[in-house]
Amino acid sequence: MPSNAELLAIALTVARRAGELARQRREAGVEVAASKSSLSDIVTQADRESENLIRQAIAAARPNDGFFGEESGGAEGTSGLTWVVDPIDGTVNYFYGIPSYAVSVAVVEGDPDPLTWRTLAGAVVNPANGEVYTASEGGGAHLNGRQLRVKENTELELALVGTGFGYDAAKRVRQARIVAELIGKVRDVRRIGAASLDLCNVAAGRLDAYYERGLNPWDHAAGALIAREAGATVGGLGDARENDELIVAAQPGLFTQLNPLIQAAYADWV
Ligand code: IPD
């Protein structure tokens, strides 16, 4: 079994290479290749190229591991490890040239299900500003090599809270109603547009908290580890771990104030 440090080195290398590819394609101009779950849920040629690069590099380095990617789906391995990959998180930002998009690469042990997996290492690379976030289980979280810690002791009314919206129009309207309830209780709300970076922003103290319903596993696999390793509490609906129903990440003191509000808001949403 490789060490977490060895796995992190692979995650970082492939995320950096894919980030550089995405940055070059962005400079050359981006076009939508296809729509997915709705017209606004787009995939670009660069998403596909980025995922191909990552998939091939991981297959070369770790041929017996599984793969679970946003664009090309999954393949089971035999080693018990699976690489969970978002080749470009924040695709709409990428399409518009907003410099908040990222390549997210994580490696997990166990079934590729966030309810039960154990995340061993992860890297989130924002090629537009050169920021590289990394974490390994028990090894702390880092931004360009500098150790990260969440901010401490923010009261709810002073909290800057990030969130996001899914691509389904009816669900977005419900999500917006919950934001409308929350915004009177906190400092302000941010919708940055890349879940992996939202979680890294919590780790770096640039957001006090982040929550979202309906994320896919590749959106949060690396970012949740980075937030946890920086000292954040991360959870899902009720007592469950984070998953596609809900993710809430915040500094521990704030989590105890914010989480009940979010749980109550989502309680009747099945
Ligand atoms: C999306 C982004 C966005 C979040 C959406 C995700 P994508 O991922 O992370 O911030 O609000 O729920 O689907 O489609 O850009 O990879």
Side-chain angles (χ1 to χ4, degrees):
M1 183 77 164
S3 69
N4 289 350
E6 286 166 328
L7 293 170
L8 178 56
I10 296 170
L12 179 57
T13 302
V14 298
R16 274 202 167 116
R17 281 181 54 199
E20 180 52 22
L21 174 84
R23 194 192 62 74
Q24 286 172 10
R25 294 292 183 270
R26 175 60 245 172
E27 263 180 27
V30 172
E31 279 177 32
V32 172
S35 294
K36 298 191 287 184
S37 62
S38 74
L39 275 180
S40 53
D41 184 7
I42 54 171
V43 57
T44 70
Q45 192 54 33
D47 286 86
R48 291 175 175 165
E49 280 185 70
S50 172
E51 185 152 321
N52 282 343
L53 183 159
I54 296 167
R55 196 166 185 155
Q56 282 171 18
I58 288 172
R62 301 276 317 156
N64 298 323
D65 293 355
F67 187 87
F68 188 28
E70 176 169 18
E71 309 305 341
S72 62
E76 273 183 38
T78 53
S79 65
L81 301 184
T82 302
W83 294 82
V84 184
V85 170
D86 194 337
I88 299 180
D89 182 35
T91 306
V92 174
N93 286 347
Y94 183 72
F95 180 54
Y96 278 81
I98 297 171
S100 294
Y101 62 91
V103 177
S104 174
V105 178
V107 56
V108 304
E109 188 177 52
D111 289 337
D113 175 352
L115 281 174
T116 55
W117 74 31
R118 184 172 155 209
T119 312
L120 302 178
V124 173
V125 171
N126 178 351
N129 66 6
E131 291 193 335
V132 175
Y133 296 87
T134 51
S136 59
E137 189 192 51
H142 296 85
L143 165 56
N144 293 348
R146 176 175 59 83
Q147 178 132 27
L148 294 176
R149 284 305 297 172
V150 293
K151 259 210 253 142
E152 279 172 21
N153 303 325
T154 300
E155 289 303 313
L156 184 65
E157 64 223 26
L158 294 178
L160 187 61
V161 180
T163 191
F165 302 98
Y167 290 110
D168 177 87
K171 286 186 190 152
R172 299 167 72 96
V173 171
R174 288 185 77 171
Q175 288 174 309
R177 284 199 195 108
I178 291 170
V179 173
E181 280 171 37
L182 193 65
I183 199 161
K185 302 186 173 86
V186 298
R187 184 195 292 271
D188 208 345
V189 171
R190 293 286 180 270
R191 196 290 192 247
I192 290 168
S196 58
L197 292 177
D198 288 315
L199 288 159
C200 291
N201 280 325
V202 172
R206 295 173 176 173
L207 286 175
D208 295 304
Y210 163 73
Y211 76 94
E212 185 165 345
R213 185 189 165 87
L215 281 186
N216 289 300
W218 46 78
D219 295 318
H220 63 76
L225 177 68
I226 292 164
R228 272 200 179 94
E229 286 291 326
T233 304
V234 184
L237 199 57
D239 292 332
R241 295 190 45 170
E242 69 276 11
N243 66 96
D244 63 342
E245 285 185 314
L246 185 66
I247 182 167
V248 184
Q251 48 177 278
L254 177 62
F255 188 91
T256 58
Q257 302 167 65
L258 179 68
N259 193 41
L261 297 181
I262 295 173
Q263 297 290 335
Y266 278 98
D268 63 341
W269 187 338
V270 278

